[in-house]
């Protein structure tokens, strides 16, 4: 390397000498410095090092380095209770599903390249995988276009057995390769309501902790009426108390008030469910909470990604050059005259023309 | 599109003022001299001194620019290709969980066929394999994918990216099916998704289903009319169930069987209709070839041209500047000794 530099310097020098525009200072033969000595003398050393670093930066092939990436299957509850508008976006009320989609859309941008994301939907008692996970940076446009299609019109049936939906989601993640984590957006509204004496049992093939993931609770604390949406996706009023299955003893005539036609986030239920299948639980409060859930270090995967590292030697070269040209630098060692020259005008870089 | 230029890490440009450093007066690179006025006037020296600073500044600036990641941004270029627009309509109903006859069923004694059923592949898996191959063999076509059971589920709108379509096809086999087969509603939704698009080439709906529905007259009329108005050809890759009759049978009694009725209706369409058997590899190859033989009008599509990175060029320029600076050093008087 340095021999090539020396060669280049010598060639350049000879050109200069031949044109006669400037010559190296004539000295006695005894002290004539060799090109090598000049190149490696105090001042020039920094330049040589910078040059070497720059050549390394240019020649450096992309290296594979470990990076944290994510691999999620994002499942949206598309049952009717997700139509309750208890979120707000730009001042207007939006439904739980719309806000969840918006938040995922925003969070998608922040995922590191190399991460993979796929979509699924839940209604009735089933989670249906729509799109197996694909790389986010390469397929960002398609992922967003596909996300925009997810809405209540996909609902193939009207029940909402959330527990089974979560089991099915874990099953789907396992079937789709078993490398993905599951993010499940739901409000926890079970319809029909769970019979406390006979709660849905975890499927035998769903092993707690085998598939990591998070249940993301959506909805507010105040129970609200659920908009009734017909098959064509049009709103036709609200669900009434007598139109939905109520809990035992909570019928309109009973002593306890019926409440299954109202929907709030059932956090306690979701926490318990999450614990049962080894998932985490977070609540969707804003876009940032979803972004955080999607980049949860507990769900991160180490992946070897090809990365361009040329910035590293380039930055080092930059620092050297900055140091070399910095006016506030301490004077050169070995040239004590410089230190004494406080009032002498600068004579920098003057080739001696004789 | 040409001439555009951007930086990946524009905040790095904040370091650009560092390039001014060489122009600050330094008390380095100096020699002690008794009396300045003794020195001869040296224009060349002055010029060289200025040049030295300039090149030093250029070297620093070039590295800063390189670190900021300069490049030609990713662009989309309108190209004209010859491919079809294909909407894949994939059956996800529960009947797709059933098994097909094993591939050698034709050689089996009809009375024992039932006992060989368990050897057969699941319909959903056959559908996936067939589609994956189909998409892989038609790289220039634009695909869209829709699942359907009781309702249509629009999964991927039209895209040029095979990876996305393949991911949706993979998903199509995960988990058991849902609901019933409502081909009529699915067909209408599929036709509708062509409606907002400008006609730019041959359009095909590729129905992958085991059929099995009777359509009412009104739905039939809407399908017939929609296909004609949107100029869509219909290809049906038929997944034959156990004991299902041949679709082409002339027996009028078979009208009672959903898939036969559907096939007979499709045959009366004014628009092109073709039928293929999923279990026969020749048929699938034929389907691929048929799409290729379609009168493929030029199809406008956007091709993504990936970002081009120029940082290497800038680093190279900085390296050259360093070489020149070193050359300068060689001509300098370093000290008086």
């Amino acid at each position: 390397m340095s021999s090539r530099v020396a060669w280049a310097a010598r060639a350049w020098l000879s050109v200069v000498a031949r044109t006669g525009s400037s010559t190296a200072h004539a000295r006695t033969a005894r002290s004539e410095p060799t090109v090598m000595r000049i190149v490696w003398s105090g001042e020039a050393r920094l330049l040589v090092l910078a040059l070497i670093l720059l050549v390394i930066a240019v020649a450096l092939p992309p290296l594979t380095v470990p990076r944290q990436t994510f691999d999620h299957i994002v499942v949206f509850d598309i049952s009717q209770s997700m139509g309750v508008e208890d979120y707000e976006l730009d001042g207007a009320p939006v439904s739980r599903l719309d806000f969840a989609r918006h938040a995922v859309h925003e969070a998608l941008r922040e995922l590191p390249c190399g991460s993979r994301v796929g979509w699924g939907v839940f209604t009735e008692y089933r989670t249906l995988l729509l799109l197996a996970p694909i790389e986010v940076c390469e397929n960002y446009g398609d992922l967003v276009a596909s996300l925009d299609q997810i809405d209540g019109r996909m609902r193939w049936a009207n029940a909402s057995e959330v527990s089974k939906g979560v089991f099915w989601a874990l099953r789907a993640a396992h079937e789709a390769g078993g490398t993905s984590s599951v993010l499940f957006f739901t409000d926890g509204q079970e319809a029909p309501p769970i019979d406390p004496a006979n709660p849905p049992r975890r499927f035998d093939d769903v092993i707690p902790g085998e598939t990591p993931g998070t249940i993301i609770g959506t909805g507010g604390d105040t129970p609200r009426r659920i908009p009734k949406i017909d098959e064509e996706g049009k709103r036709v009023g609200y669900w009434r108390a007598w139109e939905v299955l109520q809990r035992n003893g909570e019928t309109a005539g009973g002593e306890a008030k019926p409440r299954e036609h109202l929907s709030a986030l059932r956090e306690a239920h979701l926490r318990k469910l999450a614990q049962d299948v080894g998932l985490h639980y977070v609540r969707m409060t804003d876009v940032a909470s979803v972004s955080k859930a999607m980049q949860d270090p507990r769900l991160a995967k180490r992946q070897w990604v090809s990365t361009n590292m040329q910035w590293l030697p380039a930055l080092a070269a930059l620092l050297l050059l900055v140091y070399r040209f910095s006016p506030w630098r301490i004077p050169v060692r070995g040239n004590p005259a410089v230190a004494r020259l406080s009032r002498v005008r600068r004579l920098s870089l003057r080739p001696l023309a004789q | 599109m040409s001439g555009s230029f951007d930086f990946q890490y524009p905040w790095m440009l904040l370091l650009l003022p560092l390039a001014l450093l060489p122009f600050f007066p330094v008390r380095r690179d100096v020699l002690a001299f008794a009396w300045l006025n003794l020195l001869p006037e040296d224009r060349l020296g002055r010029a060289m001194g200025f040049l030295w600073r300039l090149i030093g500044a250029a070297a620093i600036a070039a590295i800063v620019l390189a670190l900021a990641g300069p490049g030609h941004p990713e662009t989309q270029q309108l190209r004209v290709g010859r491919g079809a627009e294909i909407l894949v309509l994939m059956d996800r109903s529960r009947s797709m969980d059933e098994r097909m006859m094993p591939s050698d069923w034709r050689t089996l004694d009809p009375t024992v066929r039932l006992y060989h059923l368990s050897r057969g592949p699941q319909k959903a898996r056959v559908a996936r394999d067939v589609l994956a191959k189909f998409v892989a063999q038609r790289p220039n076509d634009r695909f869209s994918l829709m699942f359907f059971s009781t309702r249509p589920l629009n999964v991927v709108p039209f895209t040029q990216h095979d990876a996305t379509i393949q991911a949706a096809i993979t998903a199509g086999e995960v988990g058991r099916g849902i609901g019933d087969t409502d081909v009529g509603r699915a067909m209408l939704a599929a036709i509708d998704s062509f409606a907002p698009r400008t006609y730019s080439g041959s359009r095909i709906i590729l129905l992958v289903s085991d059929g099995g529905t009777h359509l009412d007259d009104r739905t039939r009329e809407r399908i017939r009319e929609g296909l004609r108005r949107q100029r869509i050809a219909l290809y049906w890759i038929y997944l034959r169930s156990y004991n299902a009759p041949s679709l082409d049978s002339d027996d009028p009694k078979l009208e009672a069987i959903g898939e036969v009725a559907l096939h007979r209706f499709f045959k009366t369409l004014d628009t092109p209709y073709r039928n293929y058997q999923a279990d026969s590899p020749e048929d699938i190859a034929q389907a691929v070839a048929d799409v290729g033989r379609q009168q493929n009008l030029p199809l406008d599509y956007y091709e993504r041209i990936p970002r081009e990175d120029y940082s290497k060029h800038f680093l190279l320029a900085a390296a050259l500047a360093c070489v020149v600076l070193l050359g300068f050093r060689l001509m300098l008087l370093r000290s008086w000794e």
Side-chain angles (χ1 to χ4, degrees):
Chain A
M1 175 62 240
S2 57
S3 74
R4 204 182 297 168
V5 173
W7 174 84
R10 207 179 293 136
W12 190 78
L13 197 67
S14 71
V15 170
V16 171
R18 241 181 291 126
T19 52
S21 62
S22 167
T23 54
H25 178 48
R27 286 160 170 264
T28 59
R30 181 182 50 83
S31 63
E32 183 73 50
T34 63
V35 169
M36 267 317 288
R37 261 179 58 198
I38 299 176
V39 163
W40 202 239
S41 65
E43 275 304 315
R45 208 172 292 169
L46 289 176
L47 281 177
V48 175
L49 279 177
L51 179 61
I52 292 172
L53 285 167
L54 284 172
V55 172
I56 290 175
V58 171
L60 197 67
L63 303 176
T64 50
V65 292
R67 199 158 43 159
Q68 287 217 321
T69 58
F70 300 88
D71 186 340
H72 297 308
I73 291 174
V74 182
V75 182
F76 296 93
D77 182 345
I78 54 169
S79 61
Q80 300 237 355
S81 59
M82 289 294 280
V84 176
E85 294 179 336
D86 44 16
Y87 282 93
E88 205 174 86
L89 197 62
D90 302 328
V94 292
S95 70
R96 295 167 185 173
L97 179 60
D98 286 346
F99 192 85
R101 275 192 331 188
H102 167 77
V104 169
H105 187 159
E106 296 292 308
L108 205 57
R109 257 182 252 166
E110 289 162 24
L111 282 183
C113 285
S115 300
R116 306 194 315 151
V117 165
W119 310 128
V121 289
F122 155 77
T123 185
E124 200 185 6
Y125 66 96
R126 277 291 312 276
T127 290
L128 188 71
L129 188 64
L130 294 180
L131 194 65
I134 46 175
E135 205 277 327
V136 286
C137 293
E138 196 73 11
N139 305 295
Y140 179 75
D142 285 332
L143 274 171
V144 169
S146 181
L147 177 65
D148 287 343
Q149 308 279 332
I150 296 175
D151 60 21
R153 276 173 303 172
M154 286 186 170
R155 203 178 305 122
W156 58 87
N158 256 335
S160 168
E161 297 177 53
V162 179
S163 307
K164 289 185 193 166
V166 170
F167 303 155
W168 272 105
L170 295 174
R171 207 179 244 182
H174 183 76
E175 238 181 280
T179 55
S180 308
S181 41
V182 169
L183 300 181
F184 199 102
F185 284 87
T186 180
D187 51 16
Q189 175 98 5
E190 298 267 0
I194 290 177
D195 176 3
N198 193 14
R201 288 215 356 250
R202 176 164 49 77
F203 301 157
D204 290 338
D205 58 334
V206 174
I207 301 155
E210 188 191 42
T211 305
T214 308
I215 293 180
I216 300 174
T218 64
D221 292 321
T222 344
R224 287 174 192 245
R225 292 187 297 170
I226 303 169
K228 193 172 180 177
I229 312 226
D230 72 0
E231 286 211 321
E232 307 302 321
K234 282 198 290 272
R235 265 176 83 149
V236 285
Y238 293 91
W239 288 92
R240 305 300 177 92
W242 59 85
E243 287 175 325
V244 300
L245 269 172
Q246 300 287 354
R247 282 165 203 261
N248 280 343
E250 290 180 355
T251 45
E255 59 269 28
K257 265 196 156 173
R259 51 185 179 134
E260 288 301 318
H261 60 296
L262 301 174
S263 173
L265 170 59
R266 314 230 162 147
E267 211 158 20
H269 171 52
L270 288 179
R271 274 184 197 283
K272 196 175 160 298
L273 177 63
Q275 202 180 12
D276 190 30
V277 290
L279 298 180
H280 306 290
Y281 173 83
V282 297
R283 182 172 181 169
M284 175 171 82
T285 48
D286 51 9
V287 173
S289 63
V290 172
S291 185
K292 207 170 141 222
M294 286 186 84
Q295 297 189 53
D296 189 337
R298 292 172 296 186
L299 305 180
K301 296 197 161 36
R302 241 167 97 100
Q303 199 189 33
W304 291 88
V305 188
S306 160
T307 314
N308 214 336
M309 293 299 284
Q310 66 185 23
W311 64 270
L312 203 63
L315 191 66
L318 178 67
L319 289 177
L320 284 179
L321 284 183
V322 165
Y323 180 68
R324 170 67 184 75
F325 285 103
S326 165
W328 304 284
R329 217 178 102 207
I330 40 164
V332 186
R333 268 177 301 132
N335 194 351
V338 174
R340 277 181 271 116
L341 283 172
S342 50
R343 278 178 295 149
V344 176
R345 259 176 58 202
R346 213 158 42 67
L347 266 172
S348 83
L349 288 163
R350 179 162 296 190
L352 292 191
Q354 309 220 317
Chain B
M1 63 148 280
S2 67
S4 56
F5 193 79
D6 73 346
F7 292 100
Q8 253 179 314
Y9 316 104
W11 46 269
M12 264 287 178
L13 297 177
L14 288 176
L15 293 179
L16 213 47
L18 286 178
L20 293 177
L21 278 181
F23 294 104
F24 279 85
V26 230
R27 214 186 303 125
R28 186 170 62 259
D29 306 328
V30 284
L31 297 174
F33 200 73
W35 192 31
L36 264 183
N37 294 356
L38 279 180
L39 283 174
E41 170 70 20
D42 181 10
R43 290 224 192 94
L44 186 69
R46 262 180 222 286
M48 296 285 272
F50 182 71
L51 213 58
W52 156 271
R53 288 186 205 128
L54 208 62
I55 293 173
I60 292 178
I63 299 179
V64 172
L65 288 174
L67 286 173
H72 192 285
E74 179 186 310
T75 44
Q76 299 217 311
Q77 198 167 18
L78 188 67
R79 296 202 185 259
V80 180
R82 295 205 170 251
E85 282 192 321
I86 303 174
L87 187 143
V88 179
L89 196 54
M90 196 173 177
D91 195 341
R92 287 239 54 191
S93 63
R94 257 180 225 127
S95 57
M96 293 292 280
D97 298 337
E98 290 164 15
R99 291 179 182 274
M100 309 233 313
M101 291 303 294
S103 51
D104 56 350
W105 67 274
R106 286 182 182 84
T107 65
L108 298 173
D109 183 345
T111 54
V112 298
R113 270 186 202 160
L114 183 60
Y115 305 106
H116 289 273
L117 194 56
S118 59
R119 284 201 292 125
Q122 226 179 18
K123 285 185 201 166
R125 161 141 313 167
V126 174
R128 188 197 74 169
D129 292 349
V130 163
L131 280 176
K133 267 187 219 133
F134 189 95
V135 171
Q137 286 178 43
R138 303 287 316 164
N140 289 323
D141 295 336
R142 202 165 355 180
F143 285 93
S144 163
L145 192 133
M146 216 182 238
F147 291 154
F148 75 99
S149 63
T150 323
R151 327 216 57 193
L153 285 85
N154 197 349
V155 178
V156 184
F158 280 100
T159 175
Q160 195 82 37
H161 293 162
D162 280 2
T164 317
I165 291 295
Q166 293 285 12
I169 292 171
T170 307
E173 195 224 347
V174 171
R176 283 199 310 222
I178 45 163
D180 302 326
T181 316
D182 190 342
V183 179
R185 202 199 288 247
M187 281 294 296
L188 290 175
I191 293 167
D192 272 353
S193 68
F194 280 102
R197 304 177 65 78
T198 47
Y199 188 85
S200 60
S202 30
R203 299 170 158 187
I204 296 166
I205 290 178
L206 188 68
L207 175 66
V208 185
S209 168
D210 53 3
T213 4
H214 289 272
L215 305 177
D216 57 47
D217 286 343
R218 189 157 162 266
T219 312
R220 288 181 178 213
E221 228 18 71
R222 282 173 68 192
I223 290 176
R224 184 193 308 278
E225 180 53 34
L227 288 175
R228 190 173 51 216
R229 198 173 44 235
Q230 304 295 342
R231 291 187 271 172
I232 307 169
L234 175 64
Y235 290 13
W236 181 10
I237 296 183
Y238 173 57
L239 301 149
R240 185 171 166 166
S241 323
Y242 169 72
N243 245 358
S246 162
L247 290 182
D248 284 317
S249 154
D250 291 329
D251 191 346
K253 271 185 276 180
L254 289 181
E255 183 74 23
I257 295 172
E259 37 276 49
V260 175
L262 201 62
H263 179 63
R264 287 181 183 170
F265 160 62
F266 284 158
K267 277 208 287 195
T268 67
L269 290 172
D270 316 324
T271 43
Y273 164 65
R274 289 195 181 84
N275 179 274
Y276 308 94
Q277 302 277 341
D279 54 354
S280 112
E282 307 91 68
D283 257 30
I284 299 308
Q286 185 63 43
V288 176
D290 280 349
V291 178
R293 236 196 321 278
Q294 280 272 315
Q295 188 200 1
N296 272 337
L297 302 175
L299 183 71
D300 295 343
Y301 68 95
Y302 284 94
E303 193 188 36
R304 202 177 119 255
I305 297 164
R307 185 189 162 78
E308 211 179 328
D309 190 72
Y310 295 149
S311 53
K312 286 244 154 93
H313 300 76
F314 282 84
L315 288 176
L316 210 58
L320 273 177
C322 282
V323 170
V324 175
L325 287 178
L326 275 171
F328 269 67
R329 297 276 351 151
L330 295 177
M331 305 187 312
L332 274 181
L333 175 62
R334 305 275 310 132
S335 66
W336 294 125
E337 68 186 272

